[in-house]
Amino acid sequence: MTSDNELENLCQNIRRTRERDGLSIAQMARILGISPRTLKKLEAGILPPSVGVDIIFRLAGYCGKKPCEVFLPFP
């Protein structure tokens, strides 16, 4: 089970990664396999029920991290 803080880190890490790499909402959504609308919710700290664990693996793969690391603050 993840804590609220870990979920907040995940959402912030998604936004930070997108901004760091200069990606649009649409580009990052495509990488994560979700809709731009869902990505906007995630970046706002809202975890839609449609989001599955696959997003964790996609973010980790894109960032070159282990899945458990996406719940820790990215530098």
Side-chain angles (χ1 to χ4, degrees):
M1 178 180 278
T2 60
S3 71
D4 288 341
N5 194 38
E6 290 169 325
L7 289 175
E8 184 178 324
N9 287 338
L10 172 65
C11 294
Q12 288 179 3
N13 289 340
I14 291 170
R15 181 184 46 79
R16 285 185 188 134
T17 299
R18 181 180 65 76
E19 290 174 350
R20 178 198 70 202
D21 294 351
L23 300 171
S24 69
I25 293 278
Q27 290 170 318
M28 189 65 174
R30 200 171 312 116
I31 289 167
L32 297 177
I34 57 177
S35 73
R37 183 178 177 180
T38 299
L39 178 56
K40 286 179 186 180
K41 288 181 181 179
L42 279 169
E43 287 190 358
I46 300 166
L47 186 63
S50 62
V51 172
V53 296
D54 54 326
I55 193 173
I56 295 165
F57 290 94
R58 288 185 181 126
L59 179 62
Y62 177 79
C63 295
K65 298 190 176 286
K66 296 176 185 175
C68 62
E69 293 175 324
V70 301
F71 294 103
L72 303 173
F74 284 5

